[in-house]
mmCIF file of all heavy atoms in Angstrom:
data_model
loop_
_atom_site.group_PDB
_atom_site.id
_atom_site.type_symbol
_atom_site.label_atom_id
_atom_site.label_comp_id
_atom_site.label_asym_id
_atom_site.label_seq_id
_atom_site.Cartn_x
_atom_site.Cartn_y
_atom_site.Cartn_z
ATOM 1 N N HIS A 201 -13.141 7.203 10.893
ATOM 2 C CA HIS A 201 -12.601 7.434 12.205
ATOM 3 C C HIS A 201 -11.381 8.280 12.205
ATOM 4 O O HIS A 201 -11.168 9.050 13.120
ATOM 5 C CB HIS A 201 -12.212 6.030 12.870
ATOM 6 C CG HIS A 201 -11.919 6.036 14.258
ATOM 7 N ND1 HIS A 201 -10.611 6.193 14.681
ATOM 8 C CD2 HIS A 201 -12.597 6.016 15.329
ATOM 9 C CE1 HIS A 201 -10.600 6.178 15.989
ATOM 10 N NE2 HIS A 201 -11.777 6.134 16.433
ATOM 11 N N TYR A 202 -10.549 8.262 11.114
ATOM 12 C CA TYR A 202 -9.297 9.016 11.110
ATOM 13 C C TYR A 202 -9.477 10.358 10.436
ATOM 14 O O TYR A 202 -8.885 11.310 10.911
ATOM 15 C CB TYR A 202 -8.215 8.165 10.345
ATOM 16 C CG TYR A 202 -6.814 8.758 10.588
ATOM 17 C CD1 TYR A 202 -6.135 8.496 11.676
ATOM 18 C CD2 TYR A 202 -6.264 9.577 9.539
ATOM 19 C CE1 TYR A 202 -4.866 9.041 11.863
ATOM 20 C CE2 TYR A 202 -5.020 10.146 9.707
ATOM 21 C CZ TYR A 202 -4.294 9.866 10.884
ATOM 22 O OH TYR A 202 -3.038 10.314 11.098
ATOM 23 N N TYR A 203 -10.238 10.387 9.276
ATOM 24 C CA TYR A 203 -10.376 11.589 8.537
ATOM 25 C C TYR A 203 -11.739 12.307 8.601
ATOM 26 O O TYR A 203 -11.843 13.463 8.154
ATOM 27 C CB TYR A 203 -10.106 11.298 7.062
ATOM 28 C CG TYR A 203 -8.623 11.078 6.752
ATOM 29 C CD1 TYR A 203 -8.187 9.749 6.426
ATOM 30 C CD2 TYR A 203 -7.734 12.087 6.806
ATOM 31 C CE1 TYR A 203 -6.850 9.554 6.198
ATOM 32 C CE2 TYR A 203 -6.332 11.847 6.583
ATOM 33 C CZ TYR A 203 -5.968 10.580 6.249
ATOM 34 O OH TYR A 203 -4.629 10.321 5.963
ATOM 35 N N GLY A 204 -12.706 11.592 9.107
ATOM 36 C CA GLY A 204 -14.021 12.250 9.187
ATOM 37 C C GLY A 204 -15.039 11.788 8.124
ATOM 38 O O GLY A 204 -14.685 11.069 7.196
ATOM 39 N N GLU A 205 -16.270 12.128 8.276
ATOM 40 C CA GLU A 205 -17.347 11.632 7.466
ATOM 41 C C GLU A 205 -17.270 12.113 6.057
ATOM 42 O O GLU A 205 -17.509 11.376 5.052
ATOM 43 C CB GLU A 205 -18.677 11.969 8.017
ATOM 44 C CG GLU A 205 -19.024 11.321 9.358
ATOM 45 C CD GLU A 205 -18.413 11.960 10.533
ATOM 46 O OE1 GLU A 205 -17.874 13.125 10.391
ATOM 47 O OE2 GLU A 205 -18.368 11.340 11.576
ATOM 48 N N GLY A 206 -16.834 13.406 5.758
ATOM 49 C CA GLY A 206 -16.843 13.953 4.466
ATOM 50 C C GLY A 206 -15.891 13.190 3.633
ATOM 51 O O GLY A 206 -16.168 12.813 2.417
ATOM 52 N N GLN A 207 -14.661 12.888 4.099
ATOM 53 C CA GLN A 207 -13.683 12.154 3.336
ATOM 54 C C GLN A 207 -14.102 10.671 3.109
ATOM 55 O O GLN A 207 -13.915 10.115 2.024
ATOM 56 C CB GLN A 207 -12.355 12.230 4.143
ATOM 57 C CG GLN A 207 -11.126 11.972 3.283
ATOM 58 C CD GLN A 207 -10.941 12.980 2.113
ATOM 59 O OE1 GLN A 207 -11.219 14.136 2.339
ATOM 60 N NE2 GLN A 207 -10.565 12.535 0.983
ATOM 61 N N ALA A 208 -14.703 10.132 4.154
ATOM 62 C CA ALA A 208 -15.092 8.728 3.980
ATOM 63 C C ALA A 208 -16.214 8.588 2.988
ATOM 64 O O ALA A 208 -16.297 7.587 2.285
ATOM 65 C CB ALA A 208 -15.606 8.143 5.365
ATOM 66 N N LEU A 209 -17.110 9.570 2.940
ATOM 67 C CA LEU A 209 -18.222 9.550 1.993
ATOM 68 C C LEU A 209 -17.690 9.644 0.531
ATOM 69 O O LEU A 209 -18.226 8.972 -0.413
ATOM 70 C CB LEU A 209 -19.227 10.630 2.194
ATOM 71 C CG LEU A 209 -20.213 10.361 3.305
ATOM 72 C CD1 LEU A 209 -21.074 11.636 3.609
ATOM 73 C CD2 LEU A 209 -21.189 9.208 2.887
ATOM 74 N N TYR A 210 -16.603 10.400 0.328
ATOM 75 C CA TYR A 210 -16.014 10.527 -1.014
ATOM 76 C C TYR A 210 -15.445 9.102 -1.408
ATOM 77 O O TYR A 210 -15.756 8.624 -2.543
ATOM 78 C CB TYR A 210 -14.858 11.527 -1.038
ATOM 79 C CG TYR A 210 -13.989 11.317 -2.227
ATOM 80 C CD1 TYR A 210 -14.425 11.535 -3.564
ATOM 81 C CD2 TYR A 210 -12.693 10.782 -2.050
ATOM 82 C CE1 TYR A 210 -13.614 11.286 -4.633
ATOM 83 C CE2 TYR A 210 -11.873 10.548 -3.128
ATOM 84 C CZ TYR A 210 -12.353 10.808 -4.443
ATOM 85 O OH TYR A 210 -11.525 10.482 -5.511
ATOM 86 N N PHE A 211 -14.674 8.517 -0.563
ATOM 87 C CA PHE A 211 -14.157 7.207 -0.960
ATOM 88 C C PHE A 211 -15.259 6.117 -0.984
ATOM 89 O O PHE A 211 -15.117 5.217 -1.753
ATOM 90 C CB PHE A 211 -13.125 6.748 0.152
ATOM 91 C CG PHE A 211 -11.750 7.486 -0.081
ATOM 92 C CD1 PHE A 211 -11.411 8.569 0.709
ATOM 93 C CD2 PHE A 211 -10.905 7.056 -1.103
ATOM 94 C CE1 PHE A 211 -10.213 9.218 0.461
ATOM 95 C CE2 PHE A 211 -9.674 7.678 -1.301
ATOM 96 C CZ PHE A 211 -9.329 8.768 -0.501
ATOM 97 N N GLY A 212 -16.307 6.298 -0.179
ATOM 98 C CA GLY A 212 -17.458 5.404 -0.331
ATOM 99 C C GLY A 212 -18.138 5.542 -1.657
ATOM 100 O O GLY A 212 -18.477 4.554 -2.343
ATOM 101 N N PHE A 213 -18.228 6.751 -2.120
ATOM 102 C CA PHE A 213 -18.933 7.045 -3.472
ATOM 103 C C PHE A 213 -17.969 6.550 -4.579
ATOM 104 O O PHE A 213 -18.428 5.981 -5.581
ATOM 105 C CB PHE A 213 -19.152 8.528 -3.663
ATOM 106 C CG PHE A 213 -19.847 8.858 -4.984
ATOM 107 C CD1 PHE A 213 -21.160 8.536 -5.227
ATOM 108 C CD2 PHE A 213 -19.051 9.445 -5.993
ATOM 109 C CE1 PHE A 213 -21.722 8.827 -6.434
ATOM 110 C CE2 PHE A 213 -19.659 9.798 -7.214
ATOM 111 C CZ PHE A 213 -20.936 9.404 -7.438
ATOM 112 N N LEU A 214 -16.626 6.763 -4.417
ATOM 113 C CA LEU A 214 -15.706 6.267 -5.439
ATOM 114 C C LEU A 214 -15.770 4.794 -5.560
ATOM 115 O O LEU A 214 -15.835 4.212 -6.647
ATOM 116 C CB LEU A 214 -14.282 6.701 -5.058
ATOM 117 C CG LEU A 214 -13.129 6.173 -5.911
ATOM 118 C CD1 LEU A 214 -13.300 6.604 -7.367
ATOM 119 C CD2 LEU A 214 -11.815 6.696 -5.388
ATOM 120 N N GLU A 215 -15.837 4.062 -4.431
ATOM 121 C CA GLU A 215 -15.979 2.620 -4.426
ATOM 122 C C GLU A 215 -17.257 2.194 -5.024
ATOM 123 O O GLU A 215 -17.389 1.219 -5.845
ATOM 124 C CB GLU A 215 -15.815 2.061 -3.027
ATOM 125 C CG GLU A 215 -15.948 0.621 -2.800
ATOM 126 C CD GLU A 215 -15.835 0.265 -1.363
ATOM 127 O OE1 GLU A 215 -14.653 0.017 -0.882
ATOM 128 O OE2 GLU A 215 -16.797 0.076 -0.650
ATOM 129 N N TYR A 216 -18.388 2.868 -4.627
ATOM 130 C CA TYR A 216 -19.696 2.538 -5.133
ATOM 131 C C TYR A 216 -19.796 2.699 -6.643
ATOM 132 O O TYR A 216 -20.257 1.853 -7.374
ATOM 133 C CB TYR A 216 -20.767 3.342 -4.374
ATOM 134 C CG TYR A 216 -22.165 3.156 -4.898
ATOM 135 C CD1 TYR A 216 -23.025 2.146 -4.485
ATOM 136 C CD2 TYR A 216 -22.610 4.112 -5.905
ATOM 137 C CE1 TYR A 216 -24.298 1.937 -5.014
ATOM 138 C CE2 TYR A 216 -23.934 3.912 -6.379
ATOM 139 C CZ TYR A 216 -24.747 2.909 -5.949
ATOM 140 O OH TYR A 216 -25.946 2.682 -6.470
ATOM 141 N N PHE A 217 -19.241 3.843 -7.075
ATOM 142 C CA PHE A 217 -19.291 4.140 -8.521
ATOM 143 C C PHE A 217 -18.525 3.100 -9.345
ATOM 144 O O PHE A 217 -18.947 2.697 -10.412
ATOM 145 C CB PHE A 217 -18.753 5.524 -8.700
ATOM 146 C CG PHE A 217 -18.687 6.011 -10.188
ATOM 147 C CD1 PHE A 217 -19.776 5.731 -11.059
ATOM 148 C CD2 PHE A 217 -17.583 6.728 -10.620
ATOM 149 C CE1 PHE A 217 -19.716 6.231 -12.346
ATOM 150 C CE2 PHE A 217 -17.529 7.103 -11.977
ATOM 151 C CZ PHE A 217 -18.577 6.879 -12.833
ATOM 152 N N THR A 218 -17.391 2.630 -8.761
ATOM 153 C CA THR A 218 -16.587 1.618 -9.463
ATOM 154 C C THR A 218 -17.303 0.332 -9.583
ATOM 155 O O THR A 218 -17.376 -0.273 -10.692
ATOM 156 C CB THR A 218 -15.239 1.372 -8.729
ATOM 157 O OG1 THR A 218 -14.592 2.652 -8.517
ATOM 158 C CG2 THR A 218 -14.362 0.422 -9.449
ATOM 159 N N PHE A 219 -17.913 -0.145 -8.536
ATOM 160 C CA PHE A 219 -18.706 -1.374 -8.596
ATOM 161 C C PHE A 219 -19.914 -1.197 -9.427
ATOM 162 O O PHE A 219 -20.363 -2.228 -10.152
ATOM 163 C CB PHE A 219 -19.136 -1.829 -7.123
ATOM 164 C CG PHE A 219 -18.081 -2.542 -6.384
ATOM 165 C CD1 PHE A 219 -17.318 -1.890 -5.413
ATOM 166 C CD2 PHE A 219 -17.777 -3.838 -6.711
ATOM 167 C CE1 PHE A 219 -16.368 -2.553 -4.726
ATOM 168 C CE2 PHE A 219 -16.786 -4.512 -6.005
ATOM 169 C CZ PHE A 219 -16.086 -3.873 -5.020
ATOM 170 N N ALA A 220 -20.549 -0.034 -9.470
ATOM 171 C CA ALA A 220 -21.759 0.166 -10.274
ATOM 172 C C ALA A 220 -21.378 0.116 -11.772
ATOM 173 O O ALA A 220 -22.218 -0.241 -12.635
ATOM 174 C CB ALA A 220 -22.346 1.512 -9.933
ATOM 175 N N LEU A 221 -20.137 0.455 -12.128
ATOM 176 C CA LEU A 221 -19.663 0.418 -13.525
ATOM 177 C C LEU A 221 -19.368 -1.050 -14.023
ATOM 178 O O LEU A 221 -19.308 -1.227 -15.242
ATOM 179 C CB LEU A 221 -18.387 1.248 -13.673
ATOM 180 C CG LEU A 221 -18.546 2.720 -13.709
ATOM 181 C CD1 LEU A 221 -17.182 3.399 -13.538
ATOM 182 C CD2 LEU A 221 -19.152 3.177 -15.044
ATOM 183 N N VAL A 222 -19.245 -1.999 -13.078
ATOM 184 C CA VAL A 222 -18.810 -3.316 -13.478
ATOM 185 C C VAL A 222 -19.916 -3.964 -14.505
ATOM 186 O O VAL A 222 -19.471 -4.519 -15.488
ATOM 187 C CB VAL A 222 -18.598 -4.229 -12.219
ATOM 188 C CG1 VAL A 222 -18.526 -5.670 -12.655
ATOM 189 C CG2 VAL A 222 -17.443 -3.730 -11.548
ATOM 190 N N PRO A 223 -21.224 -3.908 -14.165
ATOM 191 C CA PRO A 223 -22.176 -4.479 -15.220
ATOM 192 C C PRO A 223 -22.050 -3.823 -16.548
ATOM 193 O O PRO A 223 -22.080 -4.568 -17.586
ATOM 194 C CB PRO A 223 -23.534 -4.170 -14.550
ATOM 195 C CG PRO A 223 -23.293 -4.036 -13.160
ATOM 196 C CD PRO A 223 -21.946 -3.465 -13.034
ATOM 197 N N LEU A 224 -21.878 -2.541 -16.547
ATOM 198 C CA LEU A 224 -21.765 -1.797 -17.818
ATOM 199 C C LEU A 224 -20.410 -2.254 -18.574
ATOM 200 O O LEU A 224 -20.396 -2.376 -19.761
ATOM 201 C CB LEU A 224 -21.723 -0.271 -17.611
ATOM 202 C CG LEU A 224 -22.220 0.584 -18.643
ATOM 203 C CD1 LEU A 224 -23.704 0.327 -18.892
ATOM 204 C CD2 LEU A 224 -22.181 2.093 -18.256
ATOM 205 N N ALA A 225 -19.396 -2.445 -17.763
ATOM 206 C CA ALA A 225 -18.112 -2.887 -18.401
ATOM 207 C C ALA A 225 -18.195 -4.330 -18.905
ATOM 208 O O ALA A 225 -17.668 -4.650 -19.964
ATOM 209 C CB ALA A 225 -17.048 -2.846 -17.294
ATOM 210 N N LEU A 226 -18.860 -5.202 -18.135
ATOM 211 C CA LEU A 226 -19.027 -6.629 -18.574
ATOM 212 C C LEU A 226 -19.864 -6.741 -19.874
ATOM 213 O O LEU A 226 -19.553 -7.574 -20.718
ATOM 214 C CB LEU A 226 -19.687 -7.430 -17.447
ATOM 215 C CG LEU A 226 -18.833 -7.652 -16.202
ATOM 216 C CD1 LEU A 226 -19.637 -8.364 -15.125
ATOM 217 C CD2 LEU A 226 -17.610 -8.411 -16.528
ATOM 218 N N ILE A 227 -20.841 -5.884 -20.042
ATOM 219 C CA ILE A 227 -21.611 -5.828 -21.232
ATOM 220 C C ILE A 227 -20.863 -5.155 -22.371
ATOM 221 O O ILE A 227 -20.950 -5.549 -23.610
ATOM 222 C CB ILE A 227 -22.991 -5.068 -21.005
ATOM 223 C CG1 ILE A 227 -23.828 -5.886 -20.045
ATOM 224 C CG2 ILE A 227 -23.729 -4.941 -22.309
ATOM 225 C CD1 ILE A 227 -25.068 -5.157 -19.516
ATOM 226 N N GLY A 228 -20.077 -4.160 -21.985
ATOM 227 C CA GLY A 228 -19.348 -3.422 -23.026
ATOM 228 C C GLY A 228 -18.269 -4.177 -23.756
ATOM 229 O O GLY A 228 -17.967 -3.928 -24.920
ATOM 230 N N VAL A 229 -17.564 -5.135 -22.998
ATOM 231 C CA VAL A 229 -16.477 -5.858 -23.634
ATOM 232 C C VAL A 229 -16.900 -6.698 -24.812
ATOM 233 O O VAL A 229 -16.341 -6.600 -25.904
ATOM 234 C CB VAL A 229 -15.777 -6.730 -22.495
ATOM 235 C CG1 VAL A 229 -14.763 -7.708 -23.259
ATOM 236 C CG2 VAL A 229 -15.013 -5.857 -21.492
ATOM 237 N N PRO A 230 -17.990 -7.544 -24.679
ATOM 238 C CA PRO A 230 -18.443 -8.258 -25.904
ATOM 239 C C PRO A 230 -18.948 -7.309 -27.013
ATOM 240 O O PRO A 230 -18.808 -7.689 -28.181
ATOM 241 C CB PRO A 230 -19.511 -9.259 -25.355
ATOM 242 C CG PRO A 230 -19.932 -8.674 -24.035
ATOM 243 C CD PRO A 230 -18.727 -7.994 -23.492
ATOM 244 N N TYR A 231 -19.626 -6.281 -26.593
ATOM 245 C CA TYR A 231 -20.109 -5.340 -27.625
ATOM 246 C C TYR A 231 -18.927 -4.752 -28.404
ATOM 247 O O TYR A 231 -19.049 -4.649 -29.621
ATOM 248 C CB TYR A 231 -20.789 -4.192 -26.892
ATOM 249 C CG TYR A 231 -22.347 -4.246 -26.962
ATOM 250 C CD1 TYR A 231 -23.044 -5.086 -26.155
ATOM 251 C CD2 TYR A 231 -23.041 -3.484 -27.938
ATOM 252 C CE1 TYR A 231 -24.459 -5.165 -26.155
ATOM 253 C CE2 TYR A 231 -24.424 -3.623 -28.021
ATOM 254 C CZ TYR A 231 -25.041 -4.474 -27.152
ATOM 255 O OH TYR A 231 -26.470 -4.553 -27.242
ATOM 256 N N TYR A 232 -17.864 -4.375 -27.725
ATOM 257 C CA TYR A 232 -16.714 -3.814 -28.405
ATOM 258 C C TYR A 232 -16.039 -4.891 -29.255
ATOM 259 O O TYR A 232 -15.552 -4.654 -30.392
ATOM 260 C CB TYR A 232 -15.761 -3.276 -27.416
ATOM 261 C CG TYR A 232 -14.522 -2.594 -27.986
ATOM 262 C CD1 TYR A 232 -14.548 -1.272 -28.476
ATOM 263 C CD2 TYR A 232 -13.333 -3.287 -28.172
ATOM 264 C CE1 TYR A 232 -13.501 -0.702 -29.084
ATOM 265 C CE2 TYR A 232 -12.222 -2.697 -28.712
ATOM 266 C CZ TYR A 232 -12.275 -1.406 -29.211
ATOM 267 O OH TYR A 232 -11.193 -0.827 -29.802
ATOM 268 N N ALA A 233 -15.996 -6.161 -28.751
ATOM 269 C CA ALA A 233 -15.227 -7.241 -29.387
ATOM 270 C C ALA A 233 -15.950 -7.685 -30.658
ATOM 271 O O ALA A 233 -15.291 -8.059 -31.650
ATOM 272 C CB ALA A 233 -15.003 -8.347 -28.460
#
Side-chain angles (χ1 to χ4, degrees):
H201 189 267
Y202 193 82
Y203 287 109
E205 293 78 15
Q207 201 62 36
L209 279 171
Y210 161 70
F211 282 101
F213 181 72
L214 175 58
E215 178 180 274
Y216 174 86
F217 180 42
T218 305
F219 278 104
L221 283 165
V222 171
L224 212 59
L226 292 176
I227 296 172
V229 171
Y231 257 81
Y232 182 82

